[in-house]
Amino acid sequence: MATTAADVLVDRLIAWGVDTVFSLPGDGINGIFESLRRRQDKVRYVQVRHEEAAAFAACGYAKFAGRLGVCLATSGPGGIHLLNGLYDAKMDKQAVLAVTGHTFHDLIGTNYQQDVDLVKLFQDVAVYNERVAGPAHVVNALDAAVKAALAYRGVAHLCIPKDVQEMPADASRSAANVPGHSGDLVADTGLTPGAKTLQAAADVINAGKRVAILIGRGAIGCAAEVEQLADAVAGPVVKALLGKAALPDDSPYTSGGLGLLGTAPSQDAMKECDTLVLLGTSFPYLEFLPKPGQAKCVQLDIDPTRIGLRHPVDVGLSGYVRPILTALLPLIEKKADRSFLETAQDRMAKWNELMDERGRRTDFPMKPQVVGYTVNQFLPADAIISVDCGTVTTWAARHLKVRGTMMFSASGLLATMGNALPYAVGAAAAFPGRPVVAVCGDGGFTMTMTELATVAKYNLPVKVVIVKNNTLGQIKWEQIVFEGNPEYGCDLHPIDFAKFAEAVGVPGYTVEKAEDAERIIGEAFRQPGPALLQCVVDANEPPMPGHATTAQALQFAKSLARGERDRWDILKTVFKNAVREVI
């Protein structure tokens, strides 16, 4: 029975179906921790080593489980540390509740210890943001926060002063605050458009001769409907990064990813289509989309404010992708001309051959493509894959093949480093026993590497794959290719991650040669429980886009002419890649 305001909070979280809270203790939340301790049979506390990781884990939990992610942080610095992970949730539209502590309610604003106004600090990141005034305020505020997070697919924040947490649950209540008036239910807002709008969308699609489909995270769970649409319109399905798991990579309809880490066939499809169908995506890189005026466009999105955000839209349909497609498909006429799809399929077959050839290379230093290609052979069909931000994202997007019931995610619009390992913690908490793989660069891994201790503490079945090149590779190549300058400030001091893993109780493996990759990577994946695999790769292998532009080539040449120190090794690598691609 609830005896304190903190008890009321935790009991209400349980009523909402919350079963996991990611946190690190602190004196500003001791009252809540005592309530969690006495309810540990109903809600699981997962201890992380840094509050940023708690927010990342909550975001990963929300992404993979499709449920509310919850993180808890102490006052002052604890709450501040949450922000990067919370912005990741905000920008990728994930429902996360952050609960923070605060100093004593009657010392707020007096420069007391850890007296940081977290409500003011969180006002940009949160769709709901409130300080709890007392025990009678808890249920009302928590219900409003959870509803806002779920309905708006965003971050909600509650800040509770430390002494308020320990106040008696039956403390004074205003006469207007009628007990039991707040409900723990969120209405389903996924409406299906009317018949007239559906027919207008079908008319645009039916009139197209070269229809391309771009899918994002909103299309996850809709693979059958997406393939039916692709078959009817005889068009390729291009995938935004967060939509990688929406359609298996071995589907005959997909041409793979789009953008700098995408495929040449997908870029070709965007350049040549006369009709574009956007399904559950807010793909931000406008330069890879059809030019305005080139293609008619139909967009489906749960958020009506995102209709037409990236590309001019002729018909917009707001709601969930699956019910809209179910209603739309009977109105789509099957195209007799299959040439646009067949051309994309032929190009994709050649692209896959090229990727496989690069993945089997035996050069030394080992090529990063070898890691993705080889890891792919050992991925269980139900694996959950989290990927860090950097050049490692390119290798994972191109070489890891989603199949079966695999899940895949990365930091989307925020594109933050350090997310993969805490995402994996969140995924393992959401799906106990299911295999999880965190694919990290050495730069991103070092930002949250202490969470390997979290993996060890709970014996989570997480395999950590580190693509190690001792440089901030993505920044290095951006300096060279986009800025036309030699790289500067990107070198990283080498760390032996396998030894670090052993130090925290996780088996560590190292592979440096391509001929050893299959054997060692296989050993790591066959290891029961967690394991860490550091793969030492060539730092001069560029993650070039599917089609490099003339401007990129000129900046690349300019950088080398200005004195890029590894220019000869880089030129040799690029020349070899170009020759292989032509052959």
Side-chain angles (χ1 to χ4, degrees):
M1 182 175 177
T3 59
T4 68
D7 292 338
V8 175
L9 174 80
V10 176
D11 284 345
R12 195 61 171 178
L13 285 173
I14 293 169
W16 273 103
V18 172
D19 60 8
T20 305
V21 174
F22 302 94
S23 184
L24 190 68
D27 69 334
I29 47 176
N30 277 342
I32 298 174
F33 260 79
E34 172 57 16
S35 296
L36 288 171
R37 184 189 68 80
R38 288 188 277 109
R39 290 161 176 78
Q40 55 189 297
D41 59 327
K42 296 180 180 178
V43 61
R44 171 179 42 181
Y45 155 57
V46 177
Q47 180 200 77
V48 296
R49 293 301 186 98
H50 193 284
E51 289 91 354
E52 179 184 15
F56 274 139
C59 181
Y61 182 100
K63 282 187 171 185
F64 291 118
R67 302 196 299 272
L68 180 72
V70 180
C71 54
L72 171 63
T74 192
S75 52
I80 294 169
H81 284 161
L82 291 175
L83 279 174
N84 194 45
L86 295 182
Y87 269 100
D88 186 46
K90 171 187 175 171
M91 297 185 73
D92 283 352
K93 298 187 76 63
Q94 297 303 307
V96 169
L97 172 66
V99 180
T100 62
H102 202 347
T103 192
F104 300 95
H105 84 282
D106 52 359
L107 289 174
I108 293 172
T110 67
N111 291 316
Y112 196 74
Q113 184 185 32
Q114 296 190 342
D115 184 9
V116 176
D117 190 342
L118 295 176
V119 172
K120 187 178 294 183
L121 184 67
F122 281 34
Q123 65 184 10
D124 178 63
V125 77
V127 295
Y128 182 90
N129 187 24
E130 190 60 65
R131 181 184 298 159
V132 174
H137 190 204
V138 171
V139 169
N140 302 343
L142 179 60
D143 285 355
V146 173
K147 290 175 185 178
L150 294 172
Y152 296 122
R153 298 169 304 282
V155 174
H157 170 233
L158 287 183
C159 183
I160 309 181
K162 59 189 300 182
D163 56 330
V164 171
Q165 297 168 30
E166 299 174 358
M167 288 181 179
D170 59 357
S172 62
R173 171 186 296 268
S174 67
N177 186 11
V178 179
H181 78 279
S182 183
D184 55 349
L185 178 68
V186 179
D188 187 348
T189 57
L191 304 177
T192 302
K196 184 176 180 180
T197 306
L198 286 167
Q199 187 59 59
D203 290 345
V204 170
I205 296 170
N206 291 334
K209 298 184 182 300
R210 299 181 302 281
V211 181
I213 304 166
L214 175 59
I215 63 174
R217 179 180 167 77
I220 288 176
C222 309
E225 292 81 3
V226 170
E227 286 199 333
Q228 289 176 49
L229 178 64
D231 181 64
V233 303
V237 179
V238 179
K239 299 194 289 185
L241 179 64
L242 295 187
K244 182 174 173 64
L247 193 65
D249 283 310
D250 57 4
S251 168
Y253 297 102
T254 185
S255 58
L258 185 64
L260 288 173
L261 43 73
T263 72
S266 288
Q267 275 188 254
D268 291 334
M270 290 292 106
K271 290 178 181 178
E272 297 168 4
C273 71
D274 65 10
T275 305
L276 177 64
V277 181
L278 300 171
L279 301 180
T281 180
S282 187
F283 183 80
Y285 306 107
L286 310 181
E287 65 270 29
F288 292 97
L289 297 176
K291 297 186 185 307
Q294 170 195 323
K296 296 286 188 179
C297 183
V298 172
Q299 183 176 2
L300 283 67
D301 202 287
I302 186 62
D303 186 348
T305 67
R306 298 204 175 193
I307 300 291
L309 179 64
R310 311 298 189 196
H311 191 277
V313 169
D314 294 275
V315 181
L317 307 171
S318 181
Y320 294 118
V321 171
R322 175 180 278 172
I324 294 179
L325 280 185
T326 300
L328 182 63
L329 281 167
L331 306 176
I332 302 300
E333 301 166 0
K334 188 162 185 175
K335 297 190 186 301
D337 184 357
R338 320 290 290 178
S339 58
F340 188 52
L341 174 61
E342 290 168 354
T343 297
Q345 290 172 328
D346 181 63
R347 288 169 173 168
M348 196 58 191
K350 292 181 172 63
W351 175 267
N352 284 331
E353 289 175 6
L354 176 63
M355 293 299 103
D356 288 347
E357 189 275 336
R358 290 184 176 177
R360 293 191 295 264
R361 289 173 64 172
T362 58
D363 312 53
F364 185 84
M366 183 171 66
K367 297 298 180 181
Q369 296 96 321
V370 174
V371 179
Y373 175 83
T374 309
V375 164
N376 194 60
Q377 301 174 40
F378 298 99
L379 288 176
D382 62 343
I384 302 175
I385 305 167
S386 63
V387 179
D388 221 319
C389 186
T391 55
V392 66
T393 321
T394 298
W395 313 130
R398 289 180 177 172
H399 293 277
L400 298 183
K401 305 298 183 184
V402 169
R403 62 187 186 280
T405 59
M406 286 184 185
M407 297 181 182
F408 177 99
S409 198
S411 176
L413 286 178
L414 187 60
T416 179
M417 297 169 66
N419 66 290
L421 184 55
Y423 266 27
V425 171
F431 297 95
R434 189 164 170 178
V436 181
V437 182
V439 184
C440 310
D442 48 353
F445 180 74
T446 53
M447 290 184 173
T448 52
M449 63 192 289
T450 50
E451 298 314 314
L452 193 64
T454 304
V455 170
K457 177 173 183 173
Y458 297 102
N459 194 32
L460 302 177
V462 174
K463 300 296 189 287
V464 181
V465 179
I466 302 173
V467 180
K468 179 183 177 183
N469 56 13
N470 298 322
T471 187
L472 297 171
Q474 190 69 28
I475 308 304
K476 165 183 173 174
W477 293 109
E478 287 174 351
Q479 289 176 353
I480 292 173
V481 176
F482 295 127
E483 307 300 330
N485 296 322
E487 62 169 303
Y488 180 73
C490 297
D491 288 348
L492 297 175
H493 180 73
I495 298 174
D496 190 329
F497 297 114
K499 287 184 177 179
F500 168 74
E502 297 286 352
V504 298
V506 172
Y509 298 82
T510 300
V511 57
E512 298 183 90
K513 297 179 180 179
E515 55 263 35
D516 298 328
E518 186 172 347
R519 174 179 59 81
I520 297 175
I521 291 174
E523 288 179 11
F525 272 80
R526 285 188 291 271
Q527 169 71 36
L532 179 143
L533 175 68
Q534 67 172 346
C535 305
V536 183
V537 302
D538 186 359
N540 291 319
E541 180 71 17
M544 299 297 283
H547 287 311
T549 66
T550 301
Q552 289 167 349
L554 288 173
Q555 294 290 66
F556 183 85
K558 188 189 299 181
S559 170
L560 300 187
R562 285 180 173 176
E564 168 58 39
R565 63 180 179 182
D566 295 322
R567 57 188 177 278
W568 299 119
D569 288 336
I570 293 171
L571 280 170
K572 182 170 62 176
T573 298
V574 173
F575 179 73
K576 280 186 177 180
N577 288 346
V579 169
R580 291 171 191 268
E581 195 164 336
V582 170
I583 290 174

